[in-house]
Amino acid sequence: RVMSNDERKELSRKLHYGLALAEKRMLEEKALRNEDVIQGTPDGKIKAVPARRLLRKMYSEETAGK
């Protein structure tokens, strides 16, 4: 069976939501343990960023649009 366009869009929406939720939970757990998250920069470098800082940024962006 081939998926319709609407089914593909719905699956994509669910996957994006699930990945965002998993990322948020991971950041919350790392923040509780005062851990860093390793990130790649656009210029190809690698840096460690405190999970708490990323959570603050995430929450401020979520509330700014409301």
Side-chain angles (χ1 to χ4, degrees):
R1 177 177 177 265
V2 178
M3 291 174 69
S4 71
N5 229 10
D6 287 342
E7 289 172 322
R8 267 192 224 101
K9 287 179 184 178
E10 179 67 12
L11 178 60
S12 178
R13 185 192 66 76
K14 287 179 180 180
L15 286 171
H16 281 90
Y17 175 79
L19 288 170
L21 184 61
E23 179 183 40
K24 185 175 180 182
R25 287 178 179 168
M26 180 267 304
L27 287 173
E28 289 170 341
E29 290 176 18
K30 285 187 169 287
L32 286 173
R33 295 189 301 262
N34 290 322
E35 293 179 350
D36 292 339
V37 176
I38 306 302
Q39 289 188 321
T41 63
D43 60 357
K45 295 181 181 176
I46 296 172
K47 64 179 183 175
V49 180
R52 287 182 181 185
R53 184 185 310 163
L54 291 176
L55 271 177
R56 275 195 300 269
K57 182 180 178 185
M58 180 186 264
Y59 284 126
S60 67
E61 287 176 359
E62 283 180 1
T63 56
K66 294 181 180 179

